[in-house]
Amino acid sequence: MSMASVAEQWSEHFLSTSFDRLPDDVVEQAKRALLDYLGVAVGGASLPMARIATSYFVELGGKPEASLLLDERRLPAIHAALVNGVYGHALDMDDGHRMAAGHPGVATLPAALAAAEVHQSSGRDLLRAVVCGYEAFVRIGATINPAHLKRGFHTTATVAPFAAATAVGLLAGLDRDRLTRALGLAGVQGAGLMEVFHDGAMAKPFQTARGAAAGLLAADLAARGALGPRTILEGEQGFLAAMCGDRAPDALTAGLVD
């Protein structure tokens, strides 16, 4: 029998991480992260990229699944995640993780909130999903950097699909195999370039928000049976090899508690 891939080990770990197993300080930090995201999103909602995204997706319409922040209108969950993701990063004041070199909140929370509405999740379920999404983000970001940044990739945008797919997959009740496949589908969508720091800065919140929406899409498609690569992270031509040139996955699974 072949050794379990990183995505398979992660799926096992996240599925076994119940809310009751989370330390109290971790739960409190997750609550603070949610409040922080909501605060910066309120401020970012009036900025140009946020207004453009709102008008575009409202005009598109669609199934009213999830709420826009500060707005009574509802959109398909994937569109709500993207628009709310733009709100959360428009000011560029959302939470960050130094070792991961990115912003885990805006990668995780817009998708998690949209999915929580769709699945009518409890607050405990939402917080558990957020904690796991953050863990996925930080493990990947800390593993691929600083080489990833030096290649010109924007960590928050490239890693966001993994974090969002983890959170949404848990809220959607995916099993081990489907959560593994969701992570595979997430990884093939990872994109984002540091050129936004030099020109076209309005695109920065767009590419991070698109990453969060991509993770939601990955989980939704996996729930329907779509198959992403099991070895998306450590594979010969997987995420680590392409994004930083180092396929050693040890840091991705170190200290996992089953």
Side-chain angles (χ1 to χ4, degrees):
M1 183 176 180
S2 61
M3 181 177 178
S5 69
V6 172
E8 288 172 321
Q9 293 179 64
W10 276 16
S11 295
E12 192 74 34
H13 166 64
F14 292 136
L15 287 168
S16 68
T17 304
S18 65
F19 180 86
D20 291 334
R21 293 183 64 182
L22 298 176
D24 290 343
D25 60 336
V26 171
V27 173
E28 288 305 309
Q29 188 59 34
K31 293 178 182 178
R32 291 182 61 187
L34 176 57
L35 289 173
D36 179 82
Y37 161 74
L38 293 174
V40 294
V42 168
S46 63
L47 295 185
M49 188 67 212
R51 294 199 306 269
I52 291 169
T54 301
S55 64
Y56 176 76
F57 285 106
V58 167
E59 286 179 18
L60 278 183
K63 189 176 181 181
E65 294 179 312
S67 304
L68 292 180
L69 298 176
L70 304 174
D71 197 317
E72 62 185 19
R73 291 171 293 187
R74 296 166 64 83
L75 297 176
I78 189 171
H79 295 166
L82 198 154
V83 175
N84 289 334
V86 172
Y87 293 176
H89 200 55
L91 287 174
D92 207 357
M93 295 179 65
D94 42 310
D95 65 1
H97 191 281
R98 188 176 300 277
M99 296 302 294
H103 302 265
V106 78
T108 309
L109 286 160
L113 288 168
E117 282 197 74
V118 171
H119 299 289
Q120 299 183 327
S121 305
S122 69
R124 289 161 61 95
D125 288 342
L126 174 62
L127 290 171
R128 171 213 180 201
V130 168
V131 169
C132 292
Y134 267 65
E135 181 175 354
F137 184 96
V138 172
R139 282 184 179 271
I140 297 175
T143 297
I144 61 179
N145 282 308
H148 188 60
L149 289 171
K150 291 178 179 178
R151 289 185 174 210
F153 291 111
H154 182 203
T155 304
T156 306
T158 58
V159 180
F162 290 104
T166 297
V168 174
L170 293 174
L171 291 167
L174 300 190
D175 60 18
R176 178 179 181 269
D177 182 63
R178 293 198 175 191
L179 185 55
T180 297
R181 297 302 190 174
L183 289 168
L185 292 168
V188 299
Q189 298 180 80
L193 297 173
M194 294 291 285
E195 190 61 22
V196 295
F197 287 87
H198 306 291
D199 184 41
M202 190 185 290
K204 188 170 185 282
F206 164 70
Q207 64 183 16
T208 57
R210 187 215 53 80
L216 188 150
L217 176 63
D220 282 356
L221 292 179
R224 294 170 177 261
L227 303 179
R230 294 169 45 257
T231 52
I232 185 63
L233 286 159
E234 77 278 21
E236 183 178 352
Q237 294 182 304
F239 195 83
L240 296 187
M243 297 296 197
C244 71
D246 184 358
R247 291 174 53 205
D250 292 350
L252 294 178
T253 57
L256 289 184
V257 179
D258 296 329

